[in-house]
Amino acid sequence: MLRILLAATAATLLASAPLGATEPKTSDLKTSAGAEVAPGISRERLEQAVAAAWKNLPPDMQARVVQDETMQLCSQYRNSPPPAVADAILAREKKNVAYPADGKLMGDWKAGEKLALSGFGGRMGDNPKLPNGGNCYACHQLAPAEISYGTLGPSLTGYGKIKGNTPEVQKEVYERVYNAQAVFACSNMPRFGHNKFLTMEQIKDAVAFLLDPASPVNK
Amino acid sequence: MIPGWKALALAGMTAASMTVSSLVSAALTSAVAQPAAAPSAGAQPAGDEDADKLLEKYRAMISDPMSNPGYLAVDSGEALWTTARGPKNATLETCDLGKGPGKLDGAYAEMPRWFADAGRVMDAESRLLWCMETIQGLDTTALRKKPFASSGGNPATEIEALVAFVANKSNGFKYAAKMEHPKEREAVALGEALFYRRSSLNDFSCQTCHGQEGQRIRLQNLPFFDTAKAAQATMGSWPTYRVSQASLRTMQHRIWDCYWQMRMPDVGYASEVTVALAAYLTKKAEGGAIEVPSIKR
């Protein structure tokens, strides 16, 4: 019974439906400074407060504070964009997915496992010369032996066993990890490749951790 | 960046503290080591239950106020409140936290609030800094730059100690910030907008972790603030003594820490952003009992 349940949740993968959505006030696909982001609060007002709280930053840090179009829309619609906005996000994000030149999408599952366990990287004080972690276990259940897993994302235990590892499946998983919003608009999952938080090689390793029959995820 | 924090950073995302996770995994190793006949998947929910029970036990073990080191900060905060200091050689005993000069009882329960003299909505931390500046004539620049004690058993900073003292004077009170002044209402709405604002390297907002009931990061339960009970339990237990950091921590630190996890640069201390988020969360916690400083992992 539990196996079936796990399989069902794994099948939905990252398609977690956001809760607490508010009715969109506008069907504009573009964001605007005047858009209301909370009762009586325009985006312009919000961004004024943000700029005052994070000021005098070097350019790389400043870039973290500023939202791109997708972040703006997901924030405005509280991760439940109306269909037309969701389609626009999907189209934009799909264009952003980059693939390895040699076409190989499965890397080393052992490196992928290390990646899944590590929450290192990107925080103030983290050495930027060391590789970032994917921190998959923060949100997902993966190998059954690892009991310290989060529940913000669906369980992925047995994912490769359920889905197989055909080229199509590999491509699907690679895309989800590279840019979750190319598959599901306003997904809670980070756009790891798009944001350059993980390298292509690391994403390939994550794909292997999920799909390789030898990976503990599928044992 | 807060020095000494780096060591903790290496331990990974907040997850469970090393203390809790080692306690739980040690106990679970035996709990999960069942007869071979038990299907491995079937052992999982039992494992979860055991983890919850053990965490509950751990929390009960550390929640004895008589052994809560957070009370050291309360005491030093009281000394700071009553000692004449600064160029004006004055105590803070005339500081108005919203209920009148020197009126401490229940004042924290009604903050953040609008202060006409400052022309701003202020939380306890902003207001105490303001009092240090205006009443004592102190220069708070250095304190604003390094408001939090480094992890690892260092004494609370002046502002942490003062907040602990002031907040403790609202024990037995219930959160009753009115949020009726137009500027207070604006702060709550701004906090709401910030709660949903996604940014930085991982596209996170507060909502990412606190947008659903009953979720966790690793083994750490996450409060869902749309549930009044959860909001009340969370807000009613800050400031807190954090065992994993061996330090008294305030709500400003909690918010700074969340942004740190969100891979954002350090958020301005006592800025409009942190005060607005505190206002939004305090509004959600209306009616919740205050019992501080608490003690958490």
Side-chain angles (χ1 to χ4, degrees):
Chain A
M1 179 58 197
L2 187 78
R3 282 261 184 236
I4 296 163
L5 252 172
L6 286 176
T9 42
T12 58
L13 193 58
L14 311 161
S16 57
L19 297 174
T22 49
E23 280 301 309
K25 289 225 162 64
T26 164
S27 59
D28 281 353
L29 301 191
K30 287 276 174 190
T31 56
S32 70
E36 196 175 61
V37 289
I41 304 290
S42 66
R43 174 183 325 288
E44 199 177 13
R45 174 72 184 83
L46 170 64
E47 294 308 313
Q48 271 169 10
V50 167
W54 285 277
K55 54 190 174 194
N56 306 325
L57 295 169
D60 59 326
M61 288 295 154
Q62 180 58 31
R64 296 191 186 190
V65 177
V66 177
Q67 295 179 300
D68 69 11
E69 185 84 5
T70 295
M71 287 169 173
Q72 285 183 17
L73 287 165
C74 294
S75 305
Q76 181 179 336
Y77 293 111
R78 312 226 167 141
N79 296 330
S80 287
V85 175
D87 289 347
I89 291 171
L90 284 174
R92 176 171 52 239
E93 299 299 323
K94 262 194 213 309
K95 275 189 273 174
N96 289 331
V97 181
Y99 301 89
D102 65 1
K104 288 205 176 95
L105 299 178
M106 286 248 286
D108 170 11
W109 71 259
K110 284 180 185 162
E113 182 171 40
K114 273 189 201 145
L115 194 71
L117 285 161
S118 168
F120 181 87
R123 299 164 302 195
M124 299 301 285
D126 283 349
N127 182 351
K129 285 178 187 153
L130 298 173
N132 291 342
N135 214 8
C136 314
Y137 278 109
C139 300
H140 298 282
Q141 184 181 23
L142 291 147
E146 177 54 67
I147 58 137
S148 178
Y149 61 86
T151 57
L152 287 164
S155 170
L156 303 176
T157 300
Y159 193 77
K161 208 149 65 174
I162 296 155
K163 299 272 279 189
N165 61 4
T166 60
E168 291 74 27
V169 172
Q170 287 180 31
K171 183 162 180 277
E172 192 191 316
V173 174
Y174 179 89
E175 284 171 354
R176 281 178 189 272
V177 180
Y178 192 97
N179 189 340
Q181 298 205 47
V183 183
F184 188 84
C186 299
S187 165
N188 274 334
M189 182 162 144
R191 294 171 290 172
F192 286 112
H194 172 69
N195 292 344
K196 300 197 166 30
F197 195 78
L198 296 180
T199 64
M200 251 181 216
E201 286 305 311
Q202 285 181 308
I203 294 171
K204 284 164 64 178
D205 294 339
V207 173
F209 186 48
L210 280 168
L211 298 182
D212 195 316
S215 162
V217 169
N218 300 315
K219 292 287 174 195
Chain B
M1 187 55 218
I2 310 296
W5 185 251
K6 282 182 189 170
L8 194 77
L10 292 171
M13 200 158 169
T14 44
S17 78
M18 294 175 67
T19 327
V20 181
S21 60
S22 51
L23 180 112
V24 170
S25 47
L28 281 184
T29 312
S30 54
V32 171
Q34 286 167 353
S40 64
Q44 209 55 65
D48 278 359
E49 263 171 46
D50 286 355
D52 283 347
K53 268 187 207 146
L54 282 161
L55 285 166
E56 221 169 85
K57 201 173 157 193
Y58 169 76
R59 287 185 191 116
M61 269 159 56
I62 62 169
S63 70
D64 173 10
M66 294 309 286
S67 58
N68 178 349
Y71 277 84
L72 295 171
V74 174
D75 290 347
S76 46
E78 182 169 17
L80 284 165
W81 180 264
T82 54
T83 304
R85 296 196 309 149
K88 297 187 180 174
N89 195 34
T91 73
L92 286 169
E93 287 160 314
T94 59
C95 177
D96 185 352
L97 297 171
K99 293 176 78 76
K103 292 224 160 51
L104 283 165
D105 290 344
Y108 185 82
E110 294 178 23
M111 298 174 96
R113 71 190 298 159
W114 166 257
F115 287 91
D117 55 3
R120 269 195 291 146
V121 174
M122 295 168 138
D123 63 351
E125 314 194 42
S126 331
R127 186 60 182 177
L128 283 160
L129 287 167
W130 193 87
C131 283
M132 289 166 84
E133 288 159 4
T134 56
I135 297 171
Q136 300 182 306
L138 287 167
D139 180 358
T140 61
T141 314
L143 198 51
R144 285 175 188 273
K145 227 171 171 176
K146 196 190 180 309
F148 313 127
S150 304
S151 293
N154 294 297
T157 63
E158 287 182 7
I159 192 67
E160 285 172 329
L162 280 165
V163 173
F165 168 65
V166 165
N168 177 252
K169 291 285 183 193
S170 281
N171 274 2
F173 286 80
K174 289 183 170 165
Y175 270 117
K178 291 188 183 70
M179 307 293 182
E180 281 165 356
H181 189 282
K183 290 287 181 188
E184 291 169 351
R185 282 209 297 268
E186 188 192 25
V188 172
L190 181 62
E192 181 180 330
L194 285 159
F195 191 85
Y196 291 95
R197 186 184 185 275
R198 300 181 70 166
S199 60
S200 199
L201 305 175
N202 281 345
D203 301 316
F204 290 150
S205 71
C206 308
Q207 182 273 346
T208 309
C209 290
H210 301 287
Q212 282 179 64
E213 182 84 64
Q215 303 296 83
R216 16 173 260 242
I217 289 178
R218 289 290 185 111
L219 290 176
Q220 178 64 49
N221 292 316
L222 299 160
F224 174 53
F225 293 100
D226 284 354
T227 307
K229 226 176 134 186
Q232 289 167 353
T234 299
M235 298 306 286
S237 58
W238 286 84
T240 190
Y241 181 82
R242 291 200 60 182
V243 175
S244 58
Q245 301 175 19
S247 288
L248 183 284
R249 295 305 191 197
T250 63
M251 187 39 57
Q252 283 280 338
H253 184 274
R254 180 61 267 178
I255 293 169
W256 169 85
D257 192 354
C258 280
Y259 274 121
W260 180 81
Q261 294 286 7
M262 288 157 70
R263 275 71 184 169
M264 282 288 269
D266 293 328
V267 63
Y269 180 72
S271 58
E272 190 183 23
V273 162
T274 51
V275 173
L277 277 167
Y280 174 63
L281 298 175
T282 306
K283 183 68 186 161
K284 294 257 180 204
E286 205 168 6
I290 300 171
E291 203 59 53
V292 293
S294 70
I295 187 162
K296 294 177 192 278
R297 63 129 192 115

